[in-house]
Amino acid sequence: MSAAVIDGKAFAERLRERVAEAVPAFASRAGRKPGLAVVLVGDDPASRVYVRSKGKATLAAGMASFEHCLAEATGQAELVDLVQSLNRDDRVDGILVQLPLPRHIDDKAVIGVIDPAKDVDGFHVENAGRLAVGEEALVPCTPLGCIMLLKDRLGDLSGLEAVVVGRSNIVGKPMAQLLIRENCTVTTAHSRTRDLPAVVRRGDIVVAAAGRAEMIKGDWLKPGATVIDVGINRIAGKLVGDVDFESAAATAGAITPVPGGVGPMTIAVLLRNTLTAAHARAGLPAPEGL
Ligand code: NAD
């Protein structure tokens, strides 16, 4: 193995500390803590774990946490009512509706009623549009976390060839937008891409977000590439990424492991987005260095 391993866990811990350090200054100026509301519908075990850890991380950062766990049978109208009441609640700066929602609920309709100023997941079309046209926006946590790791590793990303594998609204598309904002030359590959290995081989940066276990092999990579593996796949009780770590680490210059790479960044950036939203809502300048 020659690649440096990018320690997302350590970076995420530092980010969480920086957020926590900025909370008291906000609280003294705004007269309240920043607050994050997380809404869970149903009892998907993975979602329960995520919601619990988001609540704990929120409290650990010194923020207020509001958890709403609703029964699987909750109707869409009731969920929309709850989101609207959170929109009106001044203690709440960020609203996160945990996905996936049960099948009888249209997640787009629910996300569409979140106040864009409180949309800390960055999934509302207003925030997606703002990102696309290069305006200030709340940006989805996972891709923003990937950009932070890339800039920490590479510094200026200008002019680099970046290949994003995956075009979801949650990861692939905002990732590509963020890389364009950093002046990369961006290719977005997806399930219909022809000759994916040849496309991936162009990348000085490769971001893998396809949800296909260990699909990207070492001989698909440009030597020295920086590889960010967003994938979380469970095989035989073990978590693996979308990149075949062993072969990739022999070719790449740097690579994120799974677990311990991108995963921990998501919650850290969620706290960062909540703090940013709180400042904007209170009419305060954005916290520096976050
Ligand atoms: P998704 O299923 O919504 O999208 C997957 C994308 O990959 C699609 O655009 C599809 O076109 C593309 N794709 C599928 N098969 C492909 C193939 N064989 N070749 C090329 N492209 C292919 O998934 P998502 O929500 O974007 O998540 C992607 C992965 O990232 C999943 O493993 C998910 O668990 C993980 N994820 C991790 C975090 C985190 O915090 N680390 C957050 C979100 C998602």
Side-chain angles (χ1 to χ4, degrees):
M1 181 176 119
S2 62
V5 176
I6 297 172
D7 190 345
K9 193 161 174 265
F11 190 99
E13 272 166 22
R14 288 197 301 275
L15 178 57
R16 283 168 62 162
E17 278 165 20
R18 281 187 288 145
V19 169
E21 281 162 17
V23 166
F26 172 84
S28 71
R29 295 181 75 178
R32 62 177 184 84
K33 295 174 177 179
L36 173 64
V38 181
V39 181
L40 172 69
V41 185
D43 31 43
D44 176 66
S47 295
R48 274 193 179 278
V49 172
Y50 290 142
V51 165
R52 206 171 310 130
S53 49
K54 284 167 188 170
K56 268 171 115 177
T58 307
L59 294 174
M63 300 186 185
S65 170
F66 307 93
E67 263 180 55
H68 296 267
C69 296
L70 308 180
E72 177 85 19
T74 303
Q76 184 166 315
E78 194 183 327
L79 180 56
V80 165
D81 281 350
L82 172 61
V83 170
Q84 283 169 336
S85 75
L86 296 171
N87 284 344
R88 289 189 299 268
D89 188 336
D90 205 36
R91 300 166 305 163
V92 173
D93 298 291
I95 302 171
L96 182 150
V97 177
Q98 183 66 44
L99 301 178
L101 288 168
R103 283 219 193 129
H104 63 275
I105 299 179
D106 174 3
D107 51 5
K108 283 204 186 86
V110 175
I111 287 164
V113 296
I114 296 175
D115 177 351
K118 297 189 175 189
D119 170 39
V120 283
D121 251 343
F123 295 163
H124 193 287
V125 288
E126 184 171 320
N127 281 311
R130 284 171 163 272
L131 175 63
V133 297
E135 283 180 20
E136 253 336 283
L138 284 165
V139 174
C141 302
T142 302
L144 187 53
C146 295
I147 283 286
M148 289 177 180
L149 293 179
L150 283 167
K151 287 172 77 168
D152 184 56
R153 172 81 203 161
L154 298 170
D156 183 8
L157 307 184
S158 278
L160 295 177
E161 289 275 349
V163 177
V164 180
V165 184
R167 58 172 162 183
S168 73
N169 292 332
I170 292 174
V171 187
K173 280 186 200 144
M175 188 73 233
Q177 297 289 358
L178 287 167
L179 288 161
I180 292 171
R181 195 166 85 176
E182 296 299 328
N183 303 311
C184 292
T185 302
V186 182
T187 304
T188 302
H190 47 77
S191 53
R192 308 283 177 89
T193 294
R194 292 187 190 153
D195 198 356
L196 186 61
V199 173
V200 171
R201 216 166 280 127
R202 288 187 215 152
D204 302 305
I205 292 169
V206 175
V207 181
R212 297 281 178 269
E214 299 177 329
M215 177 178 74
I216 295 173
K217 311 294 181 196
D219 62 1
W220 296 22
L221 298 171
K222 181 193 271 195
T226 302
V227 180
I228 303 291
D229 190 352
V230 182
I232 301 178
N233 311 285
R234 200 173 287 275
I235 45 174
K238 196 174 152 237
L239 284 188
V240 298
D242 288 353
V243 179
D244 175 30
F245 186 85
E246 211 172 23
S247 68
T251 318
I255 183 168
T256 57
V258 176
V262 174
M265 290 300 292
T266 300
I267 289 185
V269 177
L270 174 66
L271 301 175
R272 179 256 177 219
N273 279 358
T274 303
L275 186 70
T276 306
H279 279 74
R281 291 187 60 251
L284 297 171
E288 266 176 52
L290 289 167

